[in-house]
Amino acid sequence: MKILVVDDDPLVRAGLRMILGGAGDLDVVGEAGSGTDVPALVARLRPDVVLMDLHMPGVDGLTATERLRAVPNAPEVLVLTAFEADGHVRRALRAGAGGFLLKDTPPAEIVAAVRRVAAGEPVLSPEVTRRLIGIVTDGAPTDKRGEARKRLGALNTRETEVAIEVGRGSSNAEIAAALHLSVPTVKTHVSAALSKLDLNNRVQLALLVHDAGLAD
């Protein structure tokens, strides 16, 4: 899997290159110090995952993520952030980032997270999903909740059940066990839900479920 590292700190980029380069199935094909350089590098290098810092000079990671994910066949984006950047996390997730890492994440977990994002899975564990989505949604107002429920009304009963489990941070295997389905069937329902709702990934689906107040 090809990885593009985007961070304005050369030491961080060097550390990530060393961590990811130690995994036999990951290849850091390029680096950038600003979101300004991302479109050209993505077009030239065709990475599978962009590891994106939020705070950079010029075009920041939030804007770069929004622009990148708006393009067809865009690579997955894994954002580097901190808990205190709650508003930024919300914007990044809604823009289509596959999840995010804290900069003090242990190396082995960074490698595992990149692999998961490349496979289309969110990088957040169920515990972190519940904590962070609870932070970034800030309690949807009534009108927003109604709008979210109306959107989810496009799903059939089984797709809705699967979507709610996604909102709770459950993995495909956990959803399969809870709903007595096979993992491939769960993946099919998730894909159908994303298509019907015009969403990029599971994180956006989870946010919509939380906006609707259905994840409790």
Side-chain angles (χ1 to χ4, degrees):
M1 291 176 283
K2 297 189 292 185
I3 315 299
L4 173 65
V5 175
V6 184
D7 195 294
D8 64 334
D9 188 334
L11 290 178
V12 172
R13 295 200 306 270
L16 289 170
R17 178 178 284 276
M18 181 177 65
I19 290 168
L20 298 174
D25 58 336
L26 303 180
D27 181 19
V28 178
V29 294
E31 300 178 10
S34 169
T36 306
D37 303 321
V38 170
L41 287 172
V42 167
R44 179 166 59 87
L45 301 173
R46 301 293 181 184
D48 299 295
V49 176
V50 177
L51 199 53
M52 184 87 73
D53 185 22
L54 285 183
H55 304 288
M56 295 180 290
V59 176
D60 62 29
L62 291 169
T63 302
T65 297
E66 290 170 341
R67 292 176 179 175
L68 182 59
R69 293 297 298 172
V71 176
N73 301 315
E76 297 293 338
V77 176
L78 181 55
V79 172
L80 289 154
T81 188
F83 275 115
E84 60 267 20
D86 297 343
H88 293 156
V89 172
R90 176 175 184 167
R91 182 177 160 192
L93 295 180
R94 293 195 184 281
F100 63 90
L101 294 176
L102 303 179
K103 287 194 173 182
D104 60 356
T105 300
E109 293 182 22
I110 293 177
V111 171
V114 170
R115 288 174 178 152
R116 287 185 63 183
V117 167
E121 291 272 352
V123 303
L124 310 177
S125 69
E127 294 78 11
V128 174
T129 298
R130 284 190 288 268
R131 176 178 178 181
L132 293 178
I133 290 180
I135 290 172
V136 301
T137 53
D138 295 326
T142 302
D143 57 342
K144 188 173 184 180
R145 177 165 296 186
E147 180 182 346
R149 291 191 177 191
K150 183 177 180 180
R151 287 188 66 190
L152 288 169
L155 307 182
N156 63 35
T157 301
R158 184 59 87 182
E159 290 164 354
T160 300
E161 292 173 341
V162 170
I164 290 171
E165 291 299 325
V166 170
R168 290 171 177 161
S170 301
S171 66
N172 286 339
E174 289 168 337
I175 297 172
L179 300 180
H180 307 290
L181 302 171
S182 68
V183 171
T185 299
V186 170
K187 291 181 179 179
T188 297
H189 287 314
V190 171
S191 295
L194 294 177
S195 177
K196 287 182 178 181
L197 298 170
D198 193 26
L199 298 175
N200 279 309
N201 55 38
R202 295 167 66 105
V203 176
Q204 288 184 325
L205 179 57
L207 285 170
L208 183 62
V209 169
H210 275 259
D211 282 349
L214 301 178
D216 296 335

